[in-house]
Structure formats: C-alpha cells, structure tokens
C-alpha cells in the first residue's frame, strides 16, 4: 500500500508547498524565543540603592557628582558574607537637617560612618537604569528578590504542564487545532502580561502563557516534520530550531531599542496575533489524519500538496496509508508511553534529557545577565553560537547518528558548567567564552533530544 513517504517522493518531498509552510511555522518558532528566555530583559536587576528622603536635595545644594553622592550617603559593602548592605540598607539619618555639611556630612554624627545604625529601605529604591523592568516596577530586590525566580518558575511550570496537555490535544484533536488555539491564547496572555496591574496577576498571566506556548511550538515542530519527505525531515527539524535562534538574536536588538518592560512585552506579543493566519497556509497533517482513519481528508491534502508543487499525484493515491499497521482509529494516552518495556525505557531516558537540557539551557542564558558586562551584547554573542551548533548537527548527524553527538554535547556542557564554578566574575571575557561553549553544547543536546523524540514514537504519540 502507498505510504505518506512514498506519496511525498512523487508529489515533492520539499517543494513549494513545504517551503511555504516551513517559513510560516518558522515565524512561530522565532516568536517563542521571548517567552522562553524573555526574563533576561523583562526582569533584569540593575544597580540599586535605598531611597533616602533629603539626599537628592542635599546633593543638588552641594553640587555633588553621582560618585560623591554614593560615597557620602550609601553604606559600604560591609563585612564579607553580609547580604548586600549597599543595596538593601540605609543610614538611619535625617538628611533634611541643616547641620549636615557638604564635605563628609556624616563626620559630625559619628567618628566613623561604619558606626552609624543601618535600617531597611522604608522608602523604596533608586535604580540606575534608563529603562524599567519587572524588578524596578514591583521592587523585587533584597528580601523580595526570590520573586524574580518565582516569575520564571511560573512559566516553567506552565511549560511542563502545558507540554502534557497540549501534546495530548495535538494527538487527539489534530496538530492544526492545537497550533492555532495555543498560539492565539498565548498572544492574548502576552498582552495581558504587558498590562498586568500587580505582581500576582503578572504571575497568573505568565503561568497561563507557559501552559500554551510550549505546546504551540511543539505542534509546529511536529507539523512541519510530518509534511516533508524522509530525506528532509532532520534538516527541516534543525532549521525550525534555528528559527528560534533567530528570535533570540532579534530579541536582543529589540530589548536594546525598547528598554521599558511593558512596551517590550507588547512589542513581542502583538505580532503573534498574525500567526493564526497560518490557518490558510498550513493544512492538517496527513499522517495524523490517517492515524484517525480520516483517509479521505488525507488524500485531499496530498492532492493539494501535489498541485502546489506542480506535480502529478500518484495514481493509487486513494490507497494512502500509514507505515504503521493501523486497523482502527488510534486515541493517544499517556499510558501508551509506558505500555511496553522498550517504550518505558525510551520515555524515562527522554524525560531525564528534557529536564537536564531545559535547566542547563535556561541557566546558561541567565548566567549572561549576571556576568557584569553589557547585557545586550552578551546575550547577542551567546545567541550567535547556536548557529554553528546547528551547522555541526547538519554535517555530523548522517555520519554519526544521534547517539554520539548527544553524548558528546552533554559532556561539553557539563564540563563548561563545572569550570564556571571556579571562574571569578572579574574575569568577564573568560566567563563569556566558557558560557558560550556550554551554550553551544546544550544547543546541540537540545536539538538532538527533539530529533530523537520525534523519531522514536509512532505518529499518534509523537506529541504526547
């Protein structure tokens, strides 16, 4: 019987139809980048200090420079091991009193300024940044700095739960339905995040966006790999992830041009409303339709692909079937991932690889924000190393397969992360170089995991 791969050999494995669908879905992949790692710019923590009433007026009266103002009015670094007194403590001094002079104003209050009592930042903070972030707007510093991690944890929890739910929807109701629904909901939640009135609603919208956005990206990945012929499947899968890297590069430039987090969030969310237009360019996967015994629709789509590619459909197209032996409509279930010893082994290994790859990838990206250099350039440089990583996969995967590159890339990123423990933050460029090597390794590993995941499972389980 005629399989989908057999039919694609005749109607075009990567013709005009597939190229059009591929470019449309690559936009979706690029749009996922700000959701996945946007916290680097949305919630960056600039240099800050306690706001002390009277200090700005005294500084203007005395004509201090910023350096002089900090030297006279902000506590020093404090004893080793003490938690950031410069950022989180202020002198318990009334800066409005007229007795304070312009030269060492605290000299008349104590022989040594270190003897003066320190108190919490009751009046908020002053942030040394021309823009704004979630941190500066909601004061997520000092005792509340853990809320920045919670902000990203919410989207990560959403990714985890959403991958399970959206994967089931994609295999139960179709890749196209899942793709369009999750993309539209993600766009709406992105806009709501930009106008969130408080921190709690910000977390809820961010969690919701995580629930749907990873499923949207995965549905696009599955859809495009099921449209192309066997000879192009791995290449298209890798290039789909390269589109995500393009999104990272564009994000660094956009964040530099739009330094205020609400406007940046709007700038990356509003274009997503155009992505549901893929409805008119991307049909349902014929492989999924066949797994659901909807053969007539699958035949019509294959005939449409032949017309778009300028090819004649096979004479026996109506005999189209899956390579897998399907005798009844297949309904996916999470239990199917553990039904046989072989599948159980693959599932547990892939779960571990997904976990480690996700944690290390995000961790290396976050590391760029704390190395002390230019946040935008560091992010840009680290994103660029993903392009050679994709090239390495393209030229090695057919020769060495997936196993050896996957193992080697994990060793590289493990060694890089281990070395970064011993590198001082003062060695900025060494930090960046080692982090970029690790970033290349984890990009290789991540792309390999996606490929292995798509190739190990049958059609009706490929998105679960």
């Amino acid at each position: 019987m005629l399989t989908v791969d057999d039919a694609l050999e005749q109607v075009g494995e990567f013709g005009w139809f597939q190229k059009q669908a591929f470019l449309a879905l690559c936009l979706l992949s690029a749009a996922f980048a700000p959701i996945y790692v946007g916290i680097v710019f949305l919630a960056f923590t600039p240099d800050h200090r306690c706001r002390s009433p009277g200090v700005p007026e005294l500084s203007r009266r005395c004509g201090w420079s910023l350096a002089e103002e900090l030297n006279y009015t902000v506590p020093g670094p404090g004893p080793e091991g003490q938690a950031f007194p410069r950022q989180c403590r202020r002198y318990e001094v009334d800066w409005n009193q007229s007795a304070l002079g312009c030269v060492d104003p605290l000299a008349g209050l104590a022989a040594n300024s270190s003897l003066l009592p320190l108190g919490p930042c009751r009046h908020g903070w002053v942030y040394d940044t021309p823009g704004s972030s979630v941190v500066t707007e909601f004061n997520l510093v000092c005792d509340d700095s853990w809320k920045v991690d919670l902000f990203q944890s919410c989207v990560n929890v959403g990714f985890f739960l959403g991958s399970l739910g959206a994967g089931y929807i994609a295999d139960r109701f179709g890749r196209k339905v899942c793709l369009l629904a999750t993309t539209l909901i993600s766009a709406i939640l992105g806009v709501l995040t930009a106008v969130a009135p408080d921190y709690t609603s910000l977390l809820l919208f961010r969690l919701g966006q995580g629930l749907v956005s990873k499923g949207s990206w995965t549905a696009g990945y599955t859809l495009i790999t099921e449209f192309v012929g066997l000879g192009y499947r791995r290449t298209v899968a890798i290039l789909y992830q390269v589109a995500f890297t393009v999104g990272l590069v564009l994000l660094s430039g956009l964040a530099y041009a739009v330094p205020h987090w609400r406007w940046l969030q709007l700038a990356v969310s509003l274009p997503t409303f155009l992505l549901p237009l893929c409805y008119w360019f991307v049909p349902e996967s014929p492989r999924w339709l066949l797994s659901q015994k909807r053969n007539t629709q699958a035949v019509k789509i294959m005939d449409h692909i032949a017309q778009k590619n300028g090819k004649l459909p096979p004479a026996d197209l109506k005999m189209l079937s899956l390579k897998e032996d399907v005798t009844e409509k297949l309904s996916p279930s999470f239990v199917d991932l553990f039904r046989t010893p072989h599948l159980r082994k693959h599932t547990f290994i892939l779960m571990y690889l997904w976990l480690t790859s996700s944690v290390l990838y995000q961790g290396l990206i976050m590391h760029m924000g704390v190395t002390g250099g230019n946040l935008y350039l560091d992010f840009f440089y680290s994103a660029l190393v993903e392009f050679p990583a994709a090239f390495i996969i393209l030229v090695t995967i057919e020769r060495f397969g997936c196993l050896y590159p996957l193992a080697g890339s994990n060793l590289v990123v493990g060694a890089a992360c281990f070395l970064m423990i011993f590198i001082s933050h003062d060695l900025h460029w060494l930090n960046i170089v080692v982090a970029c090597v690790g970033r290349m390794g984890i990009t290789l590993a991540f792309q390999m995991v996606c490929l292995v995941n798509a190739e190990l499972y049958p059609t009706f389980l490929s998105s679960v």
Side-chain angles (χ1 to χ4, degrees), residues 302-313:
M302 293 303 296
D303 186 61
H304 172 71
I305 293 174
Q307 292 179 27
K308 283 285 188 179
N309 290 344
K311 303 280 187 177
L312 291 175

Side-chain angles (χ1 to χ4, degrees), residues 47-53 55 74 85-91 119-127 135-142 144:
D47 289 335
H48 53 280
R49 60 189 181 276
C50 292
R51 185 184 302 278
S52 299
V55 167
V74 177
R86 176 178 286 273
Q87 287 86 11
C88 304
R89 294 289 182 269
R90 56 181 288 273
Y91 289 123
C121 301
R122 299 188 184 89
H123 305 284
W125 286 263
V126 176
Y127 298 96
V135 171
T136 64
E137 181 163 333
F138 298 108
N139 289 325
L140 307 184
V141 292
C142 298
D144 286 334

Side-chain angles (χ1 to χ4, degrees), residues 91-112:
Y91 289 123
E92 292 286 6
V93 171
D94 180 9
W95 295 98
N96 290 308
Q97 56 185 299
S98 58
L100 295 177
C102 291
V103 179
D104 198 4
L106 299 179
L109 303 179
N112 190 329

Side-chain angles (χ1 to χ4, degrees), residues 340-351:
T340 67
H342 205 54
L343 276 175
R344 277 198 297 273
K345 180 181 73 172
H346 289 160
T347 300
F348 283 125
I349 291 174
L350 283 170
M351 286 173 65

Side-chain angles (χ1 to χ4, degrees), residues 218-382:
T218 305
Y221 181 92
T222 304
L223 198 55
I224 192 57
T225 54
E226 292 182 352
F227 273 133
V228 300
L230 191 60
Y232 290 89
R233 197 162 301 156
R234 285 179 170 178
T235 301
V236 164
I238 294 167
L239 293 179
Y240 180 78
Q241 295 181 77
V242 170
F244 175 84
T245 304
V246 173
L248 295 178
V249 172
L250 295 177
L251 176 61
S252 61
L254 185 61
Y256 179 79
V258 186
H260 298 279
W261 79 271
R262 290 188 183 273
W263 288 109
L264 177 61
Q265 178 65 28
L266 276 177
V268 299
S269 298
L270 291 177
T272 313
F273 282 100
L274 299 176
L275 294 178
L277 295 176
C278 291
Y279 178 86
W280 286 276
F281 298 99
V282 182
E284 184 55 86
S285 166
R287 298 176 194 273
W288 179 82
L289 290 170
L290 290 172
S291 74
Q292 302 300 301
K293 305 300 292 180
R294 293 161 64 177
N295 295 36
T296 302
Q297 290 176 263
V299 169
K300 287 182 179 179
I301 290 174
M302 293 303 296
D303 186 61
H304 172 71
I305 293 174
Q307 292 179 27
K308 283 285 188 179
N309 290 344
K311 303 280 187 177
L312 291 175
D316 56 346
L317 184 60
K318 291 185 179 180
M319 303 297 293
L320 189 66
S321 68
L322 278 178
K323 185 177 290 186
E324 298 114 0
D325 185 18
V326 179
T327 57
E328 60 182 10
K329 180 179 176 180
L330 298 175
S331 297
S333 167
F334 296 118
V335 178
D336 293 324
L337 297 174
F338 306 93
R339 194 171 296 279
T340 67
H342 205 54
L343 276 175
R344 277 198 297 273
K345 180 181 73 172
H346 289 160
T347 300
F348 283 125
I349 291 174
L350 283 170
M351 286 173 65
Y352 177 76
L353 289 173
W354 274 111
L355 173 65
T356 56
S357 297
S358 299
V359 170
L360 287 171
Y361 186 83
Q362 283 200 3
L364 286 167
I365 287 180
M366 303 309 168
H367 179 75
M368 294 298 168
V370 297
T371 53
N374 185 303
L375 176 63
Y376 305 100
L377 285 178
D378 290 348
F379 188 91
F380 176 74
Y381 294 148
S382 67

Side-chain angles (χ1 to χ4, degrees), residues 234 389 392-413 440-449 451-452:
R234 285 179 170 178
I392 291 172
I393 296 176
L394 287 171
V395 299
T396 60
I397 192 169
E398 295 299 333
R399 182 173 181 180
F400 300 104
C402 293
L403 182 60
Y404 292 115
L406 178 60
S409 58
N410 276 289
L411 287 174
V412 168
V413 69
M440 182 182 295
I442 199 58
T443 300
L444 284 162
F446 225 145
Q447 295 203 5
M448 287 295 181
V449 171
L451 283 173
V452 171

